[in-house]
Amino acid sequence: MKINAALFAPLVDEYQQRVDTALERWLPPSDVNPMCLHQAMRYAVLAPGKRVRPILVYATAAALGIDLERVDGAASAVEIIHAYSLIHDDLPAMDDDDLRRGRPTCHRKFDEATAILAGDALQALAFYIISHDPKMTPDSASRLQMIEKLSLFSGSRGMAGGQAIDLAAVGKSLNVAELETMHIHKTGALICTCIQLAALSTDQLSTQQQQALDSYAKSIGLSFQVQDDILDVTGDTATLGKAQGADSARNKPTYPSIIGLEASQEKTRELHRKALKALSIFGEEADILRYISAWFVERSN
Ligand code: GRG
């Protein structure tokens, strides 16, 4: 199936701008005390990231006919959780990186203590937004489910757990199944959460649609990370906005290091086909989700 990229690229831009406006609104002003902490939070979140996760929230909402205003809070919350994870991931105790989104990492720009606190405060802010945003679903049971999903998938049984597996894997050899488990937790879990939070904003979803979206989310969550591993080999630092080759320099197991570059590229194509198949019960209203799956495997940053 041919997706009209010219139709969807502007929509992705629109979603990026939309979440930037929402994030600007939710982040504490930089001239309010404690100023240094607020400045660090804003520095990390408002840096030019791709906004992949909020885009997925909006795209799922659009595919399901949900008013985008209803998911601004969820889109902001997932990006804020992501930003916190990047700040902590870059710390000396973890990946010890100097460059993120083309700029000095948060602990380089500020200091280590401020970066740790900025991550902590951002994590709390994400849950504040979901519990507080008056424009999100008025159904408090659905909101509670959103909090449950976001906390579960960003915690030790999701992203933070994946990060623990990642840190323990440095210098070790993993098999493909072990690598996949790490990726599914570290990156895939938050990507799945984006789709689930949008889905929880409507009570009109059938079980079949829910299962189709879950299956789509799992495929693109993994393809995003496999492509990340590929870009660590084939990308360049200026385009990536972070150090190219950092994974291999740290002796981290990756898809290309385990199954080779070509097989990794085939893996992303296979996951894209799986994602499209999962969406087969939807009509053209889900084309934006099909486009995003293609973007994930073709991206260069
Ligand atoms: C510290 C709890 C904790 C978790 C860290 C997300 C993560 C877990 C680590 C980031 C390390 C990394 C490079 C993972 C690979 C995939 C990934 C999440 C890349 C960064 O996400 P993008 O490409 O970044 O969406 P931008 O900057 O565009 O938002």
Side-chain angles (χ1 to χ4, degrees), residues 7 27 42 97 108 154 158 183 198 203 217 253 257 299:
L7 202 66
L27 285 162
R42 297 179 69 86
D97 273 313
R108 286 273 173 211
S154 61
H183 283 351
D203 53 8
S257 73
R299 69 194 178 93

mmCIF file of all heavy atoms in Angstrom, residues 7 27 42 97 108 154 158 183 198 203 217 253 257 299:
data_model
loop_
_atom_site.group_PDB
_atom_site.id
_atom_site.type_symbol
_atom_site.label_atom_id
_atom_site.label_comp_id
_atom_site.label_asym_id
_atom_site.label_seq_id
_atom_site.Cartn_x
_atom_site.Cartn_y
_atom_site.Cartn_z
ATOM 1 N N LEU A 7 1.047 14.198 2.096
ATOM 2 C CA LEU A 7 -0.173 14.490 2.850
ATOM 3 C C LEU A 7 0.096 14.462 4.360
ATOM 4 O O LEU A 7 -0.481 15.229 5.125
ATOM 5 C CB LEU A 7 -1.212 13.415 2.497
ATOM 6 C CG LEU A 7 -2.668 13.716 2.706
ATOM 7 C CD1 LEU A 7 -3.098 14.822 1.754
ATOM 8 C CD2 LEU A 7 -3.486 12.442 2.402
ATOM 9 N N LEU A 27 5.209 23.540 31.496
ATOM 10 C CA LEU A 27 6.498 23.648 32.199
ATOM 11 C C LEU A 27 6.524 24.884 33.090
ATOM 12 O O LEU A 27 6.015 25.940 32.711
ATOM 13 C CB LEU A 27 7.646 23.711 31.181
ATOM 14 C CG LEU A 27 7.978 22.376 30.525
ATOM 15 C CD1 LEU A 27 8.787 22.585 29.241
ATOM 16 C CD2 LEU A 27 8.744 21.473 31.501
ATOM 17 N N ARG A 42 13.102 23.014 31.503
ATOM 18 C CA ARG A 42 12.715 23.597 30.209
ATOM 19 C C ARG A 42 13.764 23.310 29.147
ATOM 20 O O ARG A 42 13.451 22.998 27.997
ATOM 21 C CB ARG A 42 12.512 25.115 30.358
ATOM 22 C CG ARG A 42 11.382 25.483 31.310
ATOM 23 C CD ARG A 42 11.243 26.992 31.426
ATOM 24 N NE ARG A 42 10.746 27.556 30.175
ATOM 25 C CZ ARG A 42 9.451 27.647 29.865
ATOM 26 N NH1 ARG A 42 8.538 27.257 30.706
ATOM 27 N NH2 ARG A 42 9.088 28.152 28.715
ATOM 28 N N ASP A 97 27.007 10.868 28.586
ATOM 29 C CA ASP A 97 27.056 11.515 27.274
ATOM 30 C C ASP A 97 27.136 13.032 27.407
ATOM 31 O O ASP A 97 26.609 13.619 28.358
ATOM 32 C CB ASP A 97 25.794 11.164 26.464
ATOM 33 C CG ASP A 97 25.974 9.869 25.701
ATOM 34 O OD1 ASP A 97 27.026 9.718 25.051
ATOM 35 O OD2 ASP A 97 25.085 9.010 25.766
ATOM 36 N N ARG A 108 25.719 18.612 31.679
ATOM 37 C CA ARG A 108 26.843 19.419 31.183
ATOM 38 C C ARG A 108 26.484 20.899 31.197
ATOM 39 O O ARG A 108 27.304 21.743 31.536
ATOM 40 C CB ARG A 108 27.204 18.998 29.754
ATOM 41 C CG ARG A 108 27.905 17.689 29.679
ATOM 42 C CD ARG A 108 29.400 17.925 29.862
ATOM 43 N NE ARG A 108 30.090 16.646 29.970
ATOM 44 C CZ ARG A 108 31.183 16.478 30.687
ATOM 45 N NH1 ARG A 108 31.693 17.478 31.360
ATOM 46 N NH2 ARG A 108 31.763 15.309 30.726
ATOM 47 N N SER A 154 6.550 2.937 32.456
ATOM 48 C CA SER A 154 7.784 3.716 32.581
ATOM 49 C C SER A 154 8.624 3.224 33.761
ATOM 50 O O SER A 154 9.771 3.625 33.920
ATOM 51 C CB SER A 154 7.481 5.212 32.722
ATOM 52 O OG SER A 154 6.709 5.456 33.871
ATOM 53 N N GLY A 158 8.902 -1.709 32.855
ATOM 54 C CA GLY A 158 8.893 -1.100 31.522
ATOM 55 C C GLY A 158 10.234 -0.434 31.260
ATOM 56 O O GLY A 158 11.285 -1.072 31.342
ATOM 57 N N HIS A 183 15.015 -4.237 24.491
ATOM 58 C CA HIS A 183 14.460 -3.168 23.649
ATOM 59 C C HIS A 183 12.968 -2.963 23.912
ATOM 60 O O HIS A 183 12.488 -1.834 23.953
ATOM 61 C CB HIS A 183 14.668 -3.504 22.174
ATOM 62 C CG HIS A 183 16.079 -3.275 21.700
ATOM 63 N ND1 HIS A 183 17.026 -2.652 22.453
ATOM 64 C CD2 HIS A 183 16.680 -3.583 20.526
ATOM 65 C CE1 HIS A 183 18.165 -2.579 21.776
ATOM 66 N NE2 HIS A 183 17.976 -3.144 20.599
ATOM 67 N N ALA A 198 -4.003 7.318 24.243
ATOM 68 C CA ALA A 198 -4.979 7.883 23.288
ATOM 69 C C ALA A 198 -6.231 7.006 23.280
ATOM 70 O O ALA A 198 -7.361 7.516 23.326
ATOM 71 C CB ALA A 198 -4.361 7.973 21.901
ATOM 72 N N ASP A 203 -14.471 5.838 24.841
ATOM 73 C CA ASP A 203 -15.070 4.582 25.316
ATOM 74 C C ASP A 203 -15.712 3.831 24.138
ATOM 75 O O ASP A 203 -16.493 2.913 24.334
ATOM 76 C CB ASP A 203 -16.090 4.854 26.437
ATOM 77 C CG ASP A 203 -17.130 5.883 26.018
ATOM 78 O OD1 ASP A 203 -17.156 6.257 24.835
ATOM 79 O OD2 ASP A 203 -17.908 6.323 26.893
ATOM 80 N N ALA A 217 1.443 -1.272 17.971
ATOM 81 C CA ALA A 217 2.360 -0.582 18.882
ATOM 82 C C ALA A 217 3.600 -1.432 19.164
ATOM 83 O O ALA A 217 4.722 -0.925 19.191
ATOM 84 C CB ALA A 217 1.632 -0.265 20.190
ATOM 85 N N PRO A 253 25.542 -4.510 23.356
ATOM 86 C CA PRO A 253 24.962 -5.360 22.324
ATOM 87 C C PRO A 253 23.856 -4.614 21.565
ATOM 88 O O PRO A 253 23.050 -3.914 22.184
ATOM 89 C CB PRO A 253 24.395 -6.546 23.108
ATOM 90 C CG PRO A 253 24.380 -6.145 24.537
ATOM 91 C CD PRO A 253 25.275 -4.957 24.712
ATOM 92 N N SER A 257 25.217 -5.589 15.858
ATOM 93 C CA SER A 257 26.363 -6.338 16.397
ATOM 94 C C SER A 257 26.023 -7.820 16.564
ATOM 95 O O SER A 257 26.911 -8.666 16.564
ATOM 96 C CB SER A 257 26.854 -5.730 17.721
ATOM 97 O OG SER A 257 25.948 -6.014 18.777
ATOM 98 N N ARG A 299 13.799 6.657 8.957
ATOM 99 C CA ARG A 299 14.344 7.884 9.551
ATOM 100 C C ARG A 299 15.877 7.861 9.580
ATOM 101 O O ARG A 299 16.492 6.795 9.645
ATOM 102 C CB ARG A 299 13.769 8.082 10.963
ATOM 103 C CG ARG A 299 14.246 7.068 11.966
ATOM 104 C CD ARG A 299 13.417 7.087 13.237
ATOM 105 N NE ARG A 299 13.894 6.063 14.163
ATOM 106 C CZ ARG A 299 14.793 6.295 15.120
ATOM 107 N NH1 ARG A 299 15.294 7.484 15.287
ATOM 108 N NH2 ARG A 299 15.176 5.322 15.928
#
